[in-house]
Amino acid sequence: MWHIEEKHFIQNDKSELKLEVLKYLRKWPLFLFSTVIAIILAWLYLRYTPPVYVTKSSLYVKIRGAKSGEFMGVKDFQNMALPSGLMANSVDNELSLLTSHPLLWNVVKKVGLDVKVISKGRVKDVDLYEKSPIFGSILSLNNSREFKSKSYEINPINKNGFKLTDEKNLIKGNFGVPVKTSWGVFVLNRNSKINFNKPLVISFINPKKIVMQLEASIDLSIPEKKSNIIELSRKETNPIRSERILNELMDQYNTDAIKDKNEEAYATANFIDERLKLITRELGGIENQKESFKEANKIADLQAQAQLNLQNASESTKKIMEYATQLEMVNSVLKMVNSSGNDQLLPTNLGMPSALDGMISDYNQLVLSRNRTLRQATNSNPAVVQFNKEITSLRELIKDNLKKSQANIQMSMGQTQEQMNLSKDALGKFPMQEKMFRSIERQQNLKEALFIYLLQKREETAIALSANTAKAKIVNPAFTIDSPVSPKKSNAYALALALGMLVPIGILYIVFALDTKIHNRREIRKALPEIPVVGEIPNAGDVEDSVVKKNDLTAFAESFRIMLTNAKYIFKPIKGIAPVIMVSSSVKGEGKTTVSTNTALILAQNRKVLLLGADLRNPQLKRFITHGKKGLSDYLVNENENNIEQYIETFKGNPNLDVLSSGTVPPNPTYLLSSDKMVNVFTELKSKYDYIVVDTAPLLLVSDSFHLIQYADLLLYVMRAEYTDRDMLEFTEEVERDNAQRKLAIVLNDVKNRHISYYGNKYGYGYGYYSDDAELKKKIKWKNRISNFFSKFS
């Protein structure tokens, strides 16, 4: 059972999803219209948006370092104080130099970016640049902080003259001659290769503003770590201008580097010359001081005299260290021999004196042999006992030798210490002379080394000044990629298609979310599963078409036949007593009068039927049936009148249909409909007709119709598609529960063709009825198409 319910639930989900999708698909003209508009807008965007191209170039930066043959100036002295790996000049620093404002300022002036000439168009303006008949530059600004830009219309006066006009000013000038204005001074030049015969727009822009824009538009990157290559790129609508900017930027970078290098070289050369003069004087004084010192102390070669004593002291020190090492080893092994047993191995190859290493090796061999024997024998084994004796004997011998070696080493250390003291005493005789002589000699060596270094740098500086090599090599001059990066046709049209679909979906979603009307019987059955929906009445069009004709086989008439067929399962007529079919609704305008009239006409095709107008407040039967002024209200008001037949009229189009109209609008319709005389009306008329169809007032607005439900065998509750609010369903349920139990059935009126279930949705009403009337069929077909097309937008 659970699996059946789960399967039914899944099928319902699929059905709901299908219906939800179909709701959107039925609006396909809206999707088509939106998509076409989006594609047109995309085409206009592509047509009038200037394409943006990417321009690229690359530089190889030569890092200056301490390599042979390279110029090193003041930077060398700075870098001497820097830790290794922190050289001040690196490729990362060059990125900031390339986008420095002074460098970009020079680019702006060289390329002429501060003066822009524009040709006005009907839809978009064109920046002429290389095709401009005029080019120029701003020479100075009165207030560079406040000035942003200024535009004029420029017209030629003669071959060498021009005039600038704006809203307030008129400025005249000649090409090639500076012009002074209220905001600054500029100069314009003529490009004789291009005609200048129509007005143009010229804009003067603050170079600082252009510099900021250039800084933001130029992308610099190092493709790999520790690489000396710098890649430059820029996006521009004018590829020629972009290429000129990048090429000029690289040229300005090299020019600026050469200028800096020359300034640095001149400063270095002056510094070296001054230092050479000073060092020459200092070096002469030091040499005179050295000569005087030797003469006063009668020294030929102080270094040779002290070398011997220094060598002896050094050798003595080395010997003492060696003896100390040997003594430490001997003490350690002796301590181990005294503290360990016969099963402990002793260290070897420690450089022991007096052949101790050999004895210790023999000792270790005996211990290892004894241990191997113990694996197969006990301590009382003769071989083990013999090993123990030999080990003990050799152990004592090693101990004696260690003690003797200890005494010998200590004695040698004492003798060596005495020799070292003698050498130190000999060296102590010359401390002051050696100290003074070494100080003089150290100063002499330092000055000579610095003198030679400065001479070398002076020559390198002279070479650097004569060789103006570029700091960076242009690997790739500026080039522009053929295909624009934006706008891209594929992306624009893809976005247009996406928006063309998503915008209608969003609009429809909001419309559907805010829509609280009833559209089809499925919504009614979902909300009121216990109340049957017996019919769906399609839209009839004009008032003339909303009345069923004799032998009418249209879809409109067929819907009423299906409704009555379904309604027969709700009540069971009693022979000889006419069933009363009451037709009502919640509010006005839902079509209850249309349903009641056509229900009566369909029933009257082969039966005797009475159409009773019980809507005494707002009678609407007159819209469909012509009748007298008097009717039901007049009969009920007249207490002396007992003959109701005189108020009943026969319908002209059908002799089987009688009509009892509402009559004069009374002041107290509720009282009349609840009177005893009304009971007599139904009692008398039931025996004379096969069916009685009652057109009543809306139940939600007035209480009149509630008094008539007791006489009804069937209450046809009319709801109008796309008119009746879903809140009315709750009221309908209350009416069925409290007043019309098991005799209320719902009729959905004015249903659009796409919402009609069963025959109306999949197969259509009136199958085969127009097969012999081709013209009528064709007319109805085209009429339905046009109606459905416009209804999709409603």
Side-chain angles (χ1 to χ4, degrees):
M1 181 68 181
W2 181 83
H3 290 290
I4 296 173
E5 291 178 356
E6 182 184 20
K7 184 176 180 181
H8 179 68
F9 178 75
I10 293 172
Q11 288 177 347
N12 286 341
D13 281 349
K14 290 181 178 179
S15 177
E16 291 294 330
L17 178 61
K18 179 181 177 182
L19 292 172
E20 193 68 23
V21 172
L22 286 176
K23 277 202 318 185
Y24 289 88
L25 291 180
R26 290 190 186 102
K27 307 294 183 182
W28 65 265
L30 178 61
F31 284 93
L32 179 61
F33 176 76
S34 175
T35 304
V36 170
I37 294 298
I39 291 175
I40 292 173
L41 292 176
W43 179 84
L44 291 174
Y45 170 73
L46 294 172
R47 173 67 177 81
Y48 293 107
T49 301
V52 178
Y53 298 89
V54 173
T55 303
K56 295 184 176 182
S57 63
S58 56
L59 275 175
Y60 173 76
V61 180
K62 303 172 186 177
I63 299 300
R64 293 182 292 173
K67 295 182 181 179
S68 176
E70 286 185 291
F71 162 63
M72 294 180 65
V74 177
K75 292 291 183 182
D76 299 324
F77 300 103
Q78 294 176 351
N79 292 334
M80 288 177 184
L82 293 174
S84 176
L86 294 180
M87 295 293 288
N89 198 6
S90 65
V91 178
D92 291 333
N93 294 336
E94 302 305 313
L95 297 180
S96 298
L97 291 176
L98 276 166
T99 55
S100 62
H101 284 199
L103 208 64
L104 294 176
W105 180 282
N106 294 335
V107 172
V108 169
K109 289 299 182 179
K110 286 286 186 179
V111 183
L113 300 178
D114 52 346
V115 177
K116 185 181 291 186
V117 180
I118 299 170
S119 176
K120 285 287 186 179
R122 287 180 298 179
V123 179
K124 66 175 182 177
D125 300 336
V126 179
D127 185 358
L128 297 178
Y129 190 61
E130 76 280 359
K131 298 179 181 179
S132 172
I134 305 166
F135 62 94
S137 177
I138 297 176
L139 300 180
S140 65
L141 292 172
N142 297 336
N143 190 344
S144 60
R145 291 184 178 274
E146 298 295 331
F147 181 77
K148 302 299 182 183
S149 63
K150 186 67 175 177
S151 297
Y152 300 93
E153 182 181 283
I154 182 169
N155 291 274
I157 295 178
N158 49 48
K159 186 176 180 181
N160 297 320
F162 62 86
K163 67 175 180 179
L164 304 178
T165 56
D166 62 0
E167 295 84 359
K168 299 179 180 180
N169 302 313
L170 171 63
I171 301 172
K172 293 184 179 181
N174 294 321
F175 292 110
V177 179
V179 178
K180 188 175 182 180
T181 65
S182 59
W183 49 265
V185 180
F186 67 89
V187 62
L188 296 180
N189 297 290
R190 180 77 170 84
N191 185 358
S192 58
K193 296 180 180 180
I194 301 175
N195 293 328
F196 181 28
N197 50 18
K198 66 176 183 179
L200 298 173
V201 174
I202 187 168
S203 295
F204 299 93
I205 307 170
N206 192 333
K208 287 185 178 181
K209 183 178 179 181
I210 303 297
V211 166
M212 299 296 291
Q213 293 174 355
L214 274 184
E215 184 183 15
S217 66
I218 297 174
D219 293 327
L220 304 176
S221 63
I222 301 174
E224 297 179 2
K225 290 184 178 180
K226 298 181 179 180
S227 172
N228 288 358
I229 300 292
I230 297 178
E231 291 185 349
L232 299 85
S233 64
R234 187 173 182 273
K235 295 179 181 178
E236 243 275 27
T237 56
N238 191 322
I240 296 176
R241 177 168 53 199
S242 189
E243 289 175 6
R244 289 182 182 176
I245 289 172
L246 292 186
N247 285 330
E248 186 62 34
L249 177 61
M250 293 185 290
D251 291 341
Q252 287 293 327
Y253 172 74
N254 278 329
T255 303
D256 189 65
I258 292 172
K259 181 181 177 182
D260 290 344
K261 186 192 73 169
N262 290 340
E263 291 178 358
E264 185 178 0
Y266 282 121
T268 303
N270 294 332
F271 169 80
I272 290 173
D273 289 338
E274 291 177 2
R275 291 301 299 171
L276 280 174
K277 293 177 182 179
L278 178 61
I279 291 172
T280 300
R281 291 194 300 268
E282 291 177 350
L283 192 56
I286 291 172
E287 289 176 348
N288 293 334
Q289 186 181 358
K290 182 178 180 182
E291 182 182 356
S292 300
F293 178 79
K294 285 186 176 183
E295 289 177 355
N297 292 283
K298 299 182 184 328
I299 297 173
D301 191 353
L302 183 62
Q303 184 68 26
Q305 293 173 4
Q307 184 68 31
L308 181 60
N309 291 325
L310 184 61
Q311 184 176 358
N312 291 337
S314 178
E315 290 178 356
S316 297
T317 302
K318 290 181 181 179
K319 286 183 180 181
I320 289 174
M321 292 178 65
E322 290 176 359
Y323 288 144
T325 303
Q326 290 181 1
L327 182 61
E328 180 66 25
M329 293 296 103
V330 169
N331 289 338
S332 298
V333 174
L334 182 60
K335 183 179 180 182
M336 178 179 265
V337 171
N338 291 331
S339 62
S340 61
N342 290 341
D343 57 347
Q344 179 67 42
L345 296 176
L346 300 177
T348 60
N349 296 326
L350 297 178
M352 295 291 182
S354 304
L356 276 172
D357 283 337
M359 295 174 66
I360 292 174
S361 266
D362 293 341
Y363 172 82
N364 289 338
Q365 289 297 327
L366 287 173
V367 173
L368 292 173
S369 299
R370 190 272 311 271
N371 291 340
R372 284 196 297 270
T373 305
L374 280 173
R375 294 173 188 169
Q376 300 176 353
T378 62
N379 288 329
S380 60
N381 188 281
V384 175
V385 173
Q386 182 62 31
F387 276 126
N388 289 333
K389 289 180 180 180
E390 292 177 0
I391 290 170
T392 303
S393 175
L394 187 57
R395 185 183 184 85
E396 293 298 324
L397 182 59
I398 291 172
K399 188 185 297 184
D400 292 340
N401 282 317
L402 287 171
K403 290 180 179 179
K404 291 177 182 179
S405 297
Q406 188 181 40
N408 292 335
I409 292 170
Q410 290 174 348
M411 184 177 64
S412 298
M413 285 181 67
Q415 295 173 352
T416 305
Q417 185 67 41
E418 290 179 0
Q419 293 176 0
M420 185 176 68
N421 291 335
L422 292 174
S423 298
K424 286 183 177 180
D425 291 340
L427 287 171
K429 296 178 181 179
F430 310 102
M432 187 60 66
Q433 291 131 339
E434 183 181 12
K435 179 179 179 182
M436 294 178 63
F437 187 77
R438 282 187 176 274
S439 177
I440 294 169
E441 196 173 41
R442 188 182 303 112
Q443 291 181 25
Q444 182 185 17
N445 292 336
L446 179 61
K447 298 297 180 182
E448 287 178 348
L450 186 56
F451 184 79
I452 294 171
Y453 177 79
L454 291 175
L455 287 176
Q456 179 185 354
K457 291 300 144 186
R458 186 170 64 178
E459 293 301 318
E460 291 179 357
T461 302
I463 294 171
L465 283 170
S466 63
N468 290 330
T469 56
K471 181 180 180 179
K473 178 183 178 181
I474 299 176
V475 180
N476 288 316
F479 65 95
T480 303
I481 299 174
D482 294 336
S483 58
V485 293
S486 68
K488 291 189 175 180
K489 287 186 177 180
S490 56
N491 293 347
Y493 285 122
L495 181 62
L497 288 174
L499 291 176
M501 300 298 291
L502 293 177
V503 169
I505 288 175
I507 294 173
L508 291 175
Y509 177 81
I510 296 173
V511 171
F512 293 152
L514 299 177
D515 184 12
T516 60
K517 306 301 181 182
I518 296 171
H519 297 278
N520 52 57
R521 69 185 298 166
R522 189 178 295 102
E523 296 175 2
I524 300 173
R525 295 184 64 180
K526 186 176 181 180
L528 304 174
E530 302 298 328
I531 300 177
V533 181
V534 294
E536 293 174 290
I537 311 302
N539 182 275
D542 299 333
V543 177
E544 294 80 4
D545 298 330
S546 60
V547 178
V548 177
K549 308 297 188 298
K550 186 176 181 180
N551 299 323
D552 195 341
L553 300 178
T554 62
F556 182 72
E558 187 66 22
S559 65
F560 282 97
R561 295 188 182 95
I562 294 174
M563 178 195 72
L564 291 172
T565 302
N566 294 332
K568 289 181 180 179
Y569 294 96
I570 298 176
F571 69 97
K572 294 181 180 180
I574 300 175
K575 190 174 183 180
I577 300 176
V580 177
I581 300 176
M582 176 178 171
V583 182
S584 187
S585 63
S586 299
V587 294
K588 180 183 176 182
E590 291 181 299
K592 58 178 182 56
T593 304
T594 303
V595 173
S596 60
T597 301
N598 287 289
T599 301
L601 288 170
I602 291 295
L603 290 171
Q605 290 182 359
N606 53 8
R607 302 174 185 86
K608 190 66 175 176
V609 179
L610 174 66
L611 176 58
L612 176 61
D615 186 357
L616 304 184
R617 296 176 184 267
N618 186 23
Q620 294 295 318
L621 283 179
K622 59 186 177 182
R623 293 191 298 116
F624 304 98
I625 299 174
T626 303
H627 52 77
K629 293 182 179 182
K630 293 186 177 182
L632 178 63
S633 61
D634 300 287
Y635 172 75
L636 296 176
V637 168
N638 192 350
E639 296 180 355
N640 299 321
E641 181 64 61
N642 294 320
N643 183 14
I644 197 171
E645 295 289 341
Q646 61 178 335
Y647 296 95
I648 298 176
E649 300 177 4
T650 302
F651 182 61
K652 295 180 180 179
N654 192 333
N656 291 330
L657 177 61
D658 290 343
V659 179
L660 176 57
S661 63
S662 302
T664 306
V665 176
N668 55 348
T670 303
Y671 172 76
L672 296 178
L673 294 175
S674 61
S675 63
D676 293 336
K677 200 169 184 179
M678 190 66 194
V679 177
N680 297 332
V681 169
F682 283 103
T683 303
E684 181 180 352
L685 296 178
K686 278 186 178 183
S687 60
K688 297 180 179 180
Y689 295 94
D690 295 323
Y691 284 97
I692 297 175
V693 179
V694 184
D695 178 38
T696 63
L699 291 172
L700 183 64
L701 301 180
V702 293
S703 61
D704 303 357
S705 302
F706 282 99
H707 300 290
L708 302 177
I709 295 177
Q710 58 182 321
Y711 309 116
D713 297 288
L714 173 64
L715 172 57
L716 291 180
Y717 203 88
V718 179
M719 297 181 181
R720 185 176 178 182
E722 301 181 9
Y723 181 84
T724 304
D725 200 276
R726 290 194 182 97
D727 293 341
M728 297 297 103
L729 295 174
E730 183 178 355
F731 175 73
T732 304
E733 186 178 21
E734 293 177 359
V735 171
E736 194 275 340
R737 182 181 62 247
D738 300 336
N739 304 97
Q741 291 184 358
R742 296 185 180 180
K743 61 181 180 179
L744 187 147
I746 296 174
V747 177
L748 186 60
N749 184 35
D750 198 19
V751 181
K752 301 298 183 292
N753 291 338
R754 62 180 183 275
H755 291 309
I756 297 178
S757 304
Y758 304 114
Y759 297 108
N761 188 18
K762 192 170 183 180
Y763 302 106
Y765 283 122
Y767 170 73
Y769 291 132
Y770 300 111
S771 58
D772 295 333
D773 192 348
E775 291 299 325
L776 183 59
K777 183 177 181 181
K778 184 177 180 181
K779 179 179 178 182
I780 294 174
K781 178 181 179 182
W782 282 104
K783 183 177 179 181
N784 289 338
R785 282 186 179 182
I786 295 171
S787 176
N788 291 339
F789 177 85
F790 286 102
S791 66
K792 286 179 173 65
F793 292 98
S794 60

